Amino acid sequence: MMQLKSYLAGAWHEGQGDRVVLHNPATEAPMAELSRATGLDEALQHARDVGGPALRAMSFAERGALLKRLAKLLHGHREALIEIAIDNGGNTRGDAKFDIDGATAVLAAYGHLAGELGEAPWIVADEAVEIMRGSKIRAQSVLLPRHGVAVHINAFNFPAWGMIGKLAVAWLAGMPVLSKPATSTAALAARIGEILVEEGELPAGAFSMLIGPAGDLLDHLGPQDVVAFTGSADTGATIRTHPRVVAQGVRVNVEADSLNAVVIGPDVGPGTELFDLMIRDCVIELTQKAGQKCTATRRILVPQDRLESVREVLVDRLREVASKTGDPANKEVRMGPLSTAGQLRDARAGLDALASSATRISGDPQRQSFVDVPEGKGWFLEPILFEATPQAALDPASSFHRVEVFAPVATLLPYDGTVAAAARIVSAAEGSLVSTVYTDDREFLADAVAELAPFLGRLVVADEKAARASLSPGCVFPVVNHGGPGRAGGGGELGGRVGMELYMQRTTIQGGGSQLARLLGKSARKE
Ligand code: NAP
């Protein structure tokens, strides 16, 4: 059995006290164990005192070169990492690649971005402006790395991408990182951390990793620190309102729950590429990672007169996946189990909640037999589809607008095909990460962008012409914003250079125009 260790203040720690056992969720076999780490105050201070100066002594280009090197390093370990993701995460090979390749892609993308950031220790954030008409005094903002530590608290579903994605952005910005993976799937993150430490030639103090529960971590944060959290809305609220976080004004970014919707335009009918794309996307977004994705589709808005055709094809495709749900160690398996017994318990409770507002039309929540798994073993749930009435769809109190069932579960929501109704339904979830609008009707699309976008972090537009090139909405690329308003946490990760602002202080430099031009370069001289 693997023994997972924390890496704190430049040394490996086994932890103390009761051991927590991690399992293979398909077989329920124990596969790793860990204990609670101590000494978090010292670890944070080490990161601030040693890691911060070491990273800030490097130029953006040097930090970018580090990221590119690490992308290659992790890629070299890809096969072994995939095996851990299958074993500890219940991932199919495809799911595991999505997570691990996503991680290396963010490293490479931010490594590449470094080339645009110049040789100065800061980023010039805007153009110089006169502070008042006719004045020689100018003001211009710069971004500089904060002198604290970036604490990354991650969700269980993307142990690689979640950890490395945040790390790439923080390191390019110039902040040291303490990364805390979710405990239940920590084996993959722990191995990645080991590779970084043993083979990554990292600047001293730039990286720390807390394996196991957060303990008193938040009690030691300071005003230059940053917390980037990904997980449930409840934990997000606990972190945001933690007394130390509030008292010290710690900067917090929250990426939380999301009841993502897709809107099928009234013009999209069977027999078109756009219809096929919509079905393909829905199946991917329901079943990839067994539906345990923050960007997974939970609500499918269908024009009432298309309901039958969408239902028929979708149910058929989901049954295909259900017939190939089982132990992901078998390469024929298309969907694996949920990650833990607790996730399965929560998902079943969520299904009961959904049943109060909609009717289950496909999938058996109590199914016990899966491919290559002994009867009753493993934490499996086959794809489940609900359907609501048009009245329930419009009711913001309906459970499918409130409850995120973190599993392969979605609800068909019939609507009258107008943007007004679609906007009422999408916004009823009070803020989401992503929605897709499938349409070739330009007027519908323009109205939909205007009405839906304020409730979303990202809006994917899919039309017949781009159907073949289109990627499913749950793919998040390093250049795009990842986050969403309201319930989704109000955070914003990635988005290229914008993502770095979380880890940097924006400071206005105010002074004589020529002085600013000398100091900050060409953009100041323009004024
Ligand atoms: P979770 O239970 O909220 O846990 C998330 C992380 O917070 C874990 O590392 C957990 O550690 C830690 N944590 C728990 N209590 C804490 C506390 N009091 N102080 C500090 N840290 C604490 O969420 P999850 O079950 O891992 O993830 C599923 C949720 O994440 C879903 O709701 C999903 O929508 C959301 N998610 C959102 C995004 C996004 O980008 N918006 C991405 C992925 C997932 P332990 O594991 O040690 O308890």
Side-chain angles (χ1 to χ4, degrees):
M1 187 143 65
M2 291 164 76
Q3 307 286 327
L4 307 186
K5 294 180 193 160
S6 294
Y7 187 72
L8 302 169
W12 291 103
H13 294 259
E14 279 203 2
Q16 291 173 358
D18 293 345
R19 302 199 76 73
V20 178
V21 177
L22 275 46
H23 295 89
N24 175 321
T27 63
E28 300 182 29
M31 57 81 61
E33 59 179 11
L34 57 94
S35 286
R36 183 181 286 269
T38 54
L40 301 181
D41 194 7
E42 296 74 22
L44 292 168
Q45 204 51 45
H46 177 78
R48 291 182 200 109
D49 292 348
V50 180
L55 281 164
R56 295 196 296 274
M58 296 165 73
S59 64
F60 285 111
E62 286 167 335
R63 300 199 290 261
L66 168 70
L67 300 185
K68 285 187 195 164
R69 191 159 50 70
L70 295 178
K72 284 200 186 123
L73 174 65
L74 287 189
H75 191 70
H77 287 270
R78 184 173 184 253
E79 283 306 315
L81 295 176
I82 288 173
E83 289 307 318
I84 299 174
I86 293 171
D87 199 14
N88 184 210
N91 290 189
T92 61
R93 205 179 146 74
D95 291 341
K97 284 197 277 189
F98 189 58
D99 187 17
I100 293 158
D101 293 347
T104 48
V106 183
L107 280 171
Y110 274 88
H112 185 71
L113 177 64
E116 297 170 13
L117 300 177
E119 285 304 310
W122 50 69
I123 297 174
V124 177
D126 51 24
E127 306 246 306
V129 291
E130 286 176 359
I131 58 164
M132 59 183 175
R133 251 180 121 155
S135 169
K136 287 189 173 159
I137 304 298
R138 303 274 187 278
Q140 188 166 17
S141 299
V142 293
L143 301 169
L144 280 144
R146 290 165 73 98
H147 282 210
V149 52
V151 171
H152 292 165
I153 301 177
N154 290 320
F156 75 86
N157 55 341
F158 282 96
W161 188 88
M163 170 178 175
I164 293 295
K166 288 188 181 124
L167 200 124
V169 189
W171 277 354
L172 185 58
M175 277 194 91
V177 167
L178 184 144
S179 188
K180 189 217 130 10
T183 299
S184 60
T185 56
L188 178 58
R191 179 62 192 133
I192 291 175
E194 214 171 68
I195 294 167
L196 295 181
V197 171
E198 304 302 337
E199 301 173 42
E201 297 171 39
L202 305 179
F207 177 68
S208 312
M209 179 171 62
L210 167 60
I211 296 291
D216 60 358
L217 180 64
L218 302 180
D219 294 337
H220 307 296
L221 296 178
Q224 285 279 311
D225 297 337
V226 174
V227 177
F229 166 79
T230 304
S232 63
D234 287 350
T235 312
T238 305
I239 290 173
R240 249 197 252 275
T241 56
H242 186 281
R244 175 84 181 183
V245 168
V246 174
Q248 296 281 311
V250 178
R251 189 180 281 180
V252 177
N253 187 77
V254 172
E255 299 292 353
D257 299 5
S258 187
L259 290 158
N260 310 294
V262 304
V263 179
I264 305 171
D267 56 311
V268 183
T272 61
E273 279 195 39
L274 194 52
F275 185 90
D276 294 345
L277 174 75
M278 175 274 295
I279 295 287
R280 183 207 72 176
D281 287 353
C282 286
V283 173
I284 292 175
E285 293 307 332
L286 252 102
T287 61
Q288 194 172 43
K289 287 218 157 228
Q292 299 167 113
K293 281 197 327 186
C294 53
T295 48
T297 297
R298 307 287 176 205
R299 302 175 297 151
I300 303 169
L301 278 67
V302 193
Q304 278 167 48
D305 57 354
R306 305 272 189 218
L307 187 59
E308 216 171 294
S309 49
V310 171
R311 182 201 297 128
E312 190 186 334
V313 183
L314 197 53
V315 165
D316 198 47
R317 299 288 162 79
L318 291 176
R319 285 197 178 133
E320 263 175 58
V321 178
S323 71
K324 291 184 176 167
T325 298
D327 187 344
N330 176 336
K331 290 196 171 128
E332 299 299 309
V333 158
R334 281 184 61 191
M335 194 178 84
L338 302 187
S339 290
T340 61
Q343 288 299 326
L344 179 57
R345 209 170 36 243
D346 289 353
R348 288 198 174 127
L351 294 176
D352 289 344
L354 292 188
S356 66
S357 299
T359 307
R360 180 162 47 84
I361 56 166
S362 176
D364 171 10
Q366 300 303 330
R367 178 177 154 192
Q368 297 294 316
S369 177
F370 294 89
V371 178
D372 275 359
V373 183
E375 179 91 9
K377 270 279 173 203
W379 300 312
F380 290 93
L381 186 70
E382 69 175 11
I384 308 268
L385 194 62
F386 282 83
E387 185 175 309
T389 62
Q391 295 73 25
L394 285 168
D395 181 356
S398 291
S399 50
F400 42 79
H401 296 314
R402 300 264 153 260
V403 181
E404 183 202 44
V405 184
F406 211 54
V409 179
T411 307
L412 293 177
L413 304 179
Y415 80 110
D416 63 9
T418 65
V419 169
R424 264 180 74 183
I425 297 171
V426 170
S427 64
E430 298 176 338
S432 307
L433 294 172
V434 60
S435 267
T436 308
V437 177
Y438 297 88
T439 188
D440 273 307
D441 180 332
R442 289 184 186 172
E443 204 178 320
F444 182 89
L445 178 62
D447 288 349
V449 170
E451 295 302 317
L452 303 185
F455 300 93
L456 305 171
R458 187 158 53 95
L459 199 162
V460 178
V461 170
D463 61 21
E464 182 83 5
K465 205 167 164 195
R468 281 191 195 162
S470 185
L471 294 152
S472 70
C475 288
V476 180
F477 292 88
V479 290
V480 305
N481 175 44
H482 178 56
R487 178 198 178 107
E493 281 177 3
L494 300 175
R497 196 186 287 212
V498 175
M500 294 169 66
E501 294 187 18
L502 177 62
Y503 303 101
M504 305 186 92
Q505 180 61 37
R506 175 185 282 261
T507 305
T508 298
I509 311 295
Q510 187 177 317
S514 49
Q515 175 75 297
L516 247 66
R518 257 193 309 278
L519 187 67
L520 302 181
K522 224 165 131 210
S523 53
R525 250 177 243 124
K526 271 190 207 156
E527 298 297 304

